[in-house]
Amino acid sequence: MMITSLANEKVKYACSLKRRRVRYREGRFCVEGVRLVEDAWRAGVVPAFVFYEPSLRTMAAADAMLSEMEAASVPCYATAKHVLQALSDTVTPQGIVAVLPFPDMKALPRSDLLLVLDEVRDPGNLGALLRVAAGAGVDQVWFAPGTGDPFNSKAVRAAMGAHFRVPLAWGNWEQIRSAVANSQVWLADVKGERRYDEVDWCQPSVLIVGGEAHGAGEQAIRLAAGSVQIPLARGVESLNLAVAAGVILFEAVRQRRQAGQTH
């Protein structure tokens, strides 16, 4: 049986998850596209239910994934194109939409490399920062108060599956302070006191990245032991947040690899 009506209760529920308030009340968000849905599934995330275009069954990889989900009792619904269009946040629907549970966003008992995002609000930047953190092997990303929603559809697309590869956490500044208590804390700043490559990143470390418009807030500044900057060529004022975070985090990776702490 194919879902063809926008009045279908499952469809209306999934559409309601486009609103942040509903996402956080339900503890669920939507992911679309074979690649992202498969990333979630291979990471052990079990969808509440899935909508898919019947033509996906002609694609071996997609059909195998859907068959695995069905064998695991995940409801998978063949869905008409116009319904998938209503579910999608992209101009061209990608053939599959999965409703997923939020990950368990709690502090890890121990970590060697943390990224704290403070007042970063642009969803594209949020997603890109998560992708960089996952690539650098960051142990956890914290979302400080005032930071945007990592489950916004644009953030989810920009993260390219990083939601399923790096643990996330959110909390107030007291909780963040507790999580970073045994680490050195550095704030990324275009006018930082030290060059990013002069820091010893081989010890447990935290990097704080501030917001696009006004940088980090007062709480973040007080928490940091100091600030680091990336020297730029003359005439260049700053880098994109994700690029800057990537430069610094991969310097930490380089130092740790050189010291035999990572592979």
Side-chain angles (χ1 to χ4, degrees):
M1 180 177 175
M2 180 183 292
I3 293 178
T4 59
S5 173
L6 296 176
N8 178 279
E9 290 301 317
K10 295 289 187 185
V11 172
K12 291 198 293 185
Y13 177 81
C15 284
S16 75
L17 296 175
K18 293 182 180 182
R19 300 193 295 274
R20 175 174 178 152
R21 175 180 58 82
V22 178
R23 283 197 294 275
Y24 282 79
R25 184 189 72 207
E26 298 295 313
R28 289 174 171 173
F29 68 114
C30 290
V31 166
E32 58 180 296
V34 172
R35 179 175 175 179
L36 286 184
V37 174
E38 186 167 26
D39 276 350
W41 180 245
R42 299 304 172 207
V45 181
V46 179
F49 46 91
V50 175
F51 305 95
Y52 69 92
E53 189 178 334
S55 63
L56 282 188
R57 289 290 193 178
T58 65
M59 300 167 55
D63 181 58
M65 177 182 67
L66 287 166
S67 296
E68 288 177 18
M69 289 179 175
E70 290 167 339
S73 300
V74 175
C76 297
Y77 304 109
T79 306
K81 281 187 178 181
H82 72 279
V83 178
L84 282 169
Q85 177 73 66
L87 291 168
S88 175
D89 272 323
T90 59
V91 175
T92 305
Q94 298 181 55
I96 186 168
V97 174
V99 174
L100 305 180
F102 279 6
D104 183 12
M105 297 181 69
K106 295 180 180 178
L108 297 177
R110 182 182 180 279
S111 62
D112 288 324
L113 186 59
L114 286 180
L115 176 64
V116 176
L117 305 182
D118 179 37
E119 300 185 21
V120 179
R121 295 190 174 92
D122 180 80
N125 280 338
L126 276 176
L129 283 160
L130 292 182
R131 189 176 181 185
V132 165
V138 167
D139 294 313
Q140 190 162 46
V141 178
W142 274 84
F143 296 84
T147 300
D149 177 16
F151 303 108
N152 172 285
S153 60
K154 186 176 179 181
V156 172
R157 289 195 300 275
M160 293 293 290
H163 288 74
F164 320 120
R165 297 189 182 97
V166 59
L168 311 179
W170 50 39
N172 57 39
W173 280 104
E174 183 177 342
Q175 292 168 314
I176 295 173
R177 194 172 293 109
S178 175
V180 307
N182 298 314
S183 302
Q184 61 170 344
V185 182
W186 292 98
L187 173 66
D189 191 316
V190 292
K191 297 179 180 178
E193 305 149 4
R194 296 182 62 178
R195 287 171 49 124
Y196 75 102
D197 53 358
E198 293 175 344
V199 171
D200 176 11
W201 294 101
C202 290
Q203 56 184 299
S205 303
V206 179
L207 177 66
I208 301 177
V209 175
E212 302 88 352
H214 306 294
E218 189 59 38
Q219 295 270 25
I221 294 170
R222 286 207 301 264
L223 181 60
S227 57
V228 294
Q229 50 104 352
I230 302 168
L232 300 175
R234 185 177 302 170
V236 179
E237 293 184 358
S238 64
L239 297 175
N240 169 273
L241 293 184
V243 172
V247 169
I248 298 170
L249 291 173
F250 277 95
E251 170 62 15
V253 172
R254 185 195 68 79
Q255 289 186 19
R256 291 169 182 223
R257 184 180 296 117
Q258 196 169 54
Q261 295 179 356
T262 186
H263 302 287

